[in-house]
Amino acid sequence: MTAAARILREFGKHSTQLGVTQLAGRIGVGKSTAHRIIWTLVEEGLLEKVEETGLFRLTTTMRSLGASAETAQRLHEAATIPLDQLRTKTAGTLHIAILDGIDVLYVERREGPGAIPVFRAVGSRNAAHVTSSGKVLLAFLPADHQKRLVQSIRLTPRTPRTITSKSAFLAELAQVRRQGYGENRGESQPGMCSIAAPIRDPLGRVVASVSVAEYVEDVEAGLRHLIRPIVETAMRISAALGWHE
């Protein structure tokens, strides 16, 4: 587990506001290291500084997404074993992500032997429309909410394979919802593919996604050989959160 993830977890231990010194002591790193990580999390919109106290807390955005410290802690605990098991089946980089507006926000990460230096730390984000995680998280939104978000997205092309038509993107989301997983085949970076599946809460709502990403020679085929492992991993994490199909 990264130091950034450990810092976020500290806010789930009945502490709504914490300082640099407290956090450094709790996770066992130097103050300068803690200070650097905390401000990275601030820049990424996960933490904010409270001017009245000089301490830090989770942002309103995180809370409004349901990613309270307690929720983030439960997600981390539910995902740890399934992610470690999945890591033995792929050389790629594994992520747990949540939706933050029209972006995906990565809250867990595991590196395989072929780790991609794209998202260097927990708290990194990417445009939802070019990622498998983003497609999954958008696909399972209520229809009205989904349409409003898609209308607000600028489908900026990252590669020649990026979907740039709103109607084509909505059709892609409908397909993702039907099949139960999403794919990115060279849409965010040339040669990079990813595949993702939905993580559900006890009520069956999709609250996060789990994905694997790596560079491949055959972009058209993508990572379809990992469909079953990624879907099974998502189901195990969902079950650990209390969801039963």
Side-chain angles (χ1 to χ4, degrees):
M1 180 172 56
T2 66
R6 291 164 61 197
I7 283 176
L8 290 176
R9 287 192 68 193
E10 287 301 319
F11 289 91
K13 298 177 180 178
H14 309 292
S15 301
T16 58
Q17 296 186 23
L18 291 167
V20 174
T21 301
Q22 288 173 294
L23 287 165
R26 289 189 182 193
I27 70 169
V29 300
K31 286 180 62 176
S32 60
T33 299
H35 186 270
R36 184 181 71 253
I37 295 170
I38 289 167
W39 279 105
T40 297
L41 294 172
V42 169
E43 291 170 0
E44 294 294 343
L46 278 74
L47 295 179
E48 62 186 4
K49 187 172 184 180
V50 182
E51 295 301 327
E52 294 81 1
T53 63
L55 303 177
F56 295 87
R57 66 185 177 192
L58 291 172
T59 60
T60 303
T61 299
M62 288 285 283
R63 294 193 298 273
S64 68
L65 285 169
S68 65
E70 183 180 356
T71 300
Q73 185 176 358
R74 286 201 305 267
L75 184 57
H76 166 77
E77 292 171 350
T80 295
I81 293 176
L83 282 181
D84 288 342
Q85 292 173 338
L86 181 60
R87 183 163 52 178
T88 67
K89 300 176 182 178
T90 175
T93 301
L94 312 179
H95 288 109
I96 301 290
I98 60 174
L99 191 65
D100 184 1
I102 58 174
D103 292 338
V104 289
L105 179 65
Y106 298 95
V107 297
E108 289 280 341
R109 172 189 171 95
R110 296 289 189 281
E111 293 185 357
I116 300 172
V118 178
F119 311 116
R120 297 188 179 276
V122 168
S124 298
R125 63 182 68 228
N126 202 354
H129 74 285
V130 296
T131 65
S132 59
S133 292
K135 291 179 183 180
V136 164
L137 293 166
L138 289 170
F140 288 91
L141 288 175
D144 290 346
H145 188 189
Q146 180 193 96
K147 288 180 181 179
R148 286 196 302 272
L149 275 184
V150 171
Q151 289 305 315
S152 70
I153 295 174
R154 293 184 60 186
L155 299 177
T156 305
R158 297 280 186 86
T159 76
R161 299 184 65 91
T162 303
I163 299 173
T164 57
S165 160
K166 295 286 178 72
S167 59
F169 189 63
L170 285 170
E172 173 87 352
L173 296 183
Q175 175 66 20
V176 169
R177 189 176 183 115
R178 285 193 299 270
Q179 66 192 16
Y181 63 89
E183 293 183 90
N184 155 32
R185 290 180 285 172
E187 297 166 51
S188 59
Q189 290 190 26
M192 192 191 81
C193 292
S194 64
I195 189 164
I199 296 171
R200 299 178 182 273
D201 69 7
L203 298 179
R205 297 172 298 195
V206 173
V207 294
S209 67
V210 57
S211 67
V212 58
E214 60 182 286
Y215 287 107
V216 300
E217 293 184 4
D218 186 354
V219 174
E220 190 59 36
L223 297 176
R224 290 185 175 175
H225 61 288
L226 293 174
I227 291 173
R228 183 170 179 175
I230 201 75
V231 170
E232 289 178 345
T233 299
M235 292 181 70
R236 283 197 291 271
I237 297 172
S238 299
L241 288 174
W243 177 72
H244 300 285
E245 188 175 8

